[in-house]
Amino acid sequence: VNYPHYFPAKPGFAEGVHELQAAGVRVMPYINGRLWDTALEDFKATGIAAATKDEQGNPYMEEYGSGAKLAPMCPTQGLWRDTVRGIVLRLCGPEVGVDGVYIDQIAAAGPRLCYDKSHGHPLAGGHWWTDGGYWPLLAQLRKELHELSAEKMITTECNAEPYANL
């Protein structure tokens, strides 16, 4: 829970990463690339604007056994793309230095039919989830990670064909 807040990292995390890497282990931590915990104050203040919305304008809610109500975010929204991008770059950058990041759910979870008119995409379904949302995010991340090191990588859950090239 508490998605998308992975920082501050637990004490010793960066040191543990470096110890594993010194032993020849490639380190790729998990983040969720799709959900924001709706109980968090920043979701209520700013995140809700970038959440996918149903026909009544309410954010969709998902629960995965923890009891936390999680909102799938609209990948067309700069707030969400910047959030995911910032987490990945911070993890892969000098602060922590991991080898890559596993961005959960992007390829595994289907698109939500978003009805938020303020998002600027066609209402309900369409190509905007991929080529207007996750594709630009992942392409930008690949470019920026390559600038850090040609060895940095991103992965996601499952193998949905629309994301294989990224």
Side-chain angles (χ1 to χ4, degrees):
V1 299
N2 293 324
Y3 300 150
H5 302 295
Y6 300 94
F7 291 98
K10 291 184 178 183
F13 177 65
E15 294 81 7
V17 167
H18 299 144
E19 184 178 331
L20 287 167
Q21 289 169 328
V25 176
R26 303 220 36 192
V27 179
M28 182 177 8
Y30 163 102
I31 69 166
N32 192 292
R34 199 173 149 269
L35 303 172
W36 199 315
D37 187 335
T38 63
L40 298 173
E41 288 305 315
D42 63 344
F43 177 80
K44 296 170 189 171
T46 57
I48 194 168
T52 56
K53 312 281 189 335
D54 63 22
E55 290 178 274
Q56 289 74 42
N58 300 311
Y60 291 104
M61 297 291 164
E62 297 178 3
E63 189 178 331
Y64 291 88
S66 68
K69 304 285 189 241
L70 306 165
M73 303 304 290
C74 183
T76 67
Q77 298 305 289
L79 172 64
W80 184 243
R81 290 200 307 239
D82 289 347
T83 297
V84 172
R85 189 177 141 270
I87 295 164
V88 171
L89 293 175
R90 193 169 172 189
L91 283 167
C92 289
E95 180 179 350
V96 182
V98 300
D99 300 293
V101 178
Y102 174 89
I103 310 172
D104 197 25
Q105 290 197 331
I106 289 178
R112 284 295 194 156
L113 302 180
C114 185
Y115 293 89
D116 190 324
K117 293 176 185 175
S118 73
H119 288 184
H121 57 66
L123 299 185
H127 64 84
W128 57 267
W129 189 269
T130 52
D131 72 1
Y134 282 117
W135 289 0
L137 166 63
L138 296 172
Q140 182 67 28
L141 271 174
R142 283 175 48 109
K143 177 182 178 289
E144 290 176 296
L145 288 175
H146 188 75
E147 291 168 1
L148 286 173
S149 165
E151 298 294 313
K152 300 291 183 182
M153 62 189 147
I154 51 176
T155 62
T156 188
E157 180 181 15
C158 295
N159 57 355
E161 201 167 311
Y163 301 101
N165 67 323
L166 297 165

